[in-house]
């Protein structure tokens, strides 16, 4: 079911956004990042480019990514469970890839759990392909990570 669109904007994430981001992180992952890790990604610098998506005044999702020379490396993305399948993740990723291209990136990469079928389906819509695997990448359960990548 598509959600009613409301007013949606994507903007740079700031330290002040951490409380809502931490709630979405907790709701989205079995092994959520600790606050200190989220806070570090919100320290914007030349490399870190956090984005949040805001609908009707409330943060509904975020994307954290690094720009490493010509590569856009997505380190975290999540949409609040009640906001999913409404196109918010797509809008976040579009905004991130636009910024990456404007910064001279030619490649996007990320790691995803082999069991995360929803995220893999989401990324495949963008033409992301499996280019490798990191065995036992996730410390909580020893799960492998797929490395996905696409030209942008
Ligand atoms: C991955 C995630 C960010 C996608 O956000 P979203 O707002 O639901 O994504 P969209 O609504 O833009 O989905 C776009 C397309 O991706 C695919 N997709 C998204 N979720 C899917 C799911 N659960 N199952 C199958 N396909 C899915 C579909 O093709 C979808 O298009 P459709 O709704 O027209 O069928 C969201 O599921 C999420 O927060 N998951 C938990 C956190 C997570 O796993 N992050 C990734 C870590 S690597």
């Amino acid at each position: 079911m598509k959600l009613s669109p409301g007013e949606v904007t994507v903007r740079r994430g700031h330290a002040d956004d951490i409380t809502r981001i931490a709630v979405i992180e907790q709701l989205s992952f079995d092994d959520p990042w600790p606050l200190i890790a989220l806070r570090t990604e919100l320290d914007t610098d030349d490399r870190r480019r956090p984005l949040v998506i805001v609908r009707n005044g409330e943060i509904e999702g975020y994307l954290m990514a690094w720009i490493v020379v010509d590569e856009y490396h997505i380190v975290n993305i999540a949409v609040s469970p009640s906001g999913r399948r409404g196109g918010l993740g797509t809008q976040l990723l579009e905004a991130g890839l636009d910024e990456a291209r404007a910064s001279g990136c030619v490649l996007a990469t990320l790691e995803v759990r082999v069991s995360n079928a929803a995220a893999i389906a989401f990324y495949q819509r963008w033409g992301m392909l499996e280019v490798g695997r990191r065995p036992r990448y996730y410390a909580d359960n020893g799960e492998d990570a797929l490395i996905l990548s696409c030209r942008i």
Side-chain angles (χ1 to χ4, degrees), residues 45-100:
D45 55 36
D46 257 7
R47 184 175 70 160
R48 294 188 173 85
R49 306 292 177 92
L51 297 175
V52 295
I53 190 159
V54 180
R55 184 172 61 195
N56 297 327
E58 173 138 270
I59 293 174
E60 289 287 348
Y62 51 88
L63 182 160
M64 293 164 177
W66 301 342
I67 290 184
V68 185
V69 192
D70 61 355
E71 181 178 329
Y72 186 65
H73 187 65
I74 296 166
V75 295
N76 199 350
I77 180 171
V79 169
S80 65
S82 60
R84 290 182 195 157
R85 298 307 288 268
L88 297 178
T90 296
Q91 286 189 61
L92 265 175
L93 194 52
E94 267 172 4
L97 294 178
D98 283 348
E99 181 176 7

Side-chain angles (χ1 to χ4, degrees), residues 6-29:
E7 187 184 330
V8 176
T9 53
V10 177
R11 63 161 172 80
R12 174 73 64 233
H14 303 298
D16 287 354
D17 300 325
I18 189 139
T19 303
R20 176 67 182 150
I21 287 174
V23 168
I24 298 171
E25 176 79 11
Q26 292 281 337
L27 293 171
S28 297
F29 297 101

Side-chain angles (χ1 to χ4, degrees), residues 130-146:
E130 182 181 337
V131 295
R133 184 182 273 245
R134 299 194 200 283
R136 302 186 62 78
Y137 183 73
Y138 295 98
D140 61 330
N141 64 355
E143 190 172 353
D144 292 358
L146 300 182

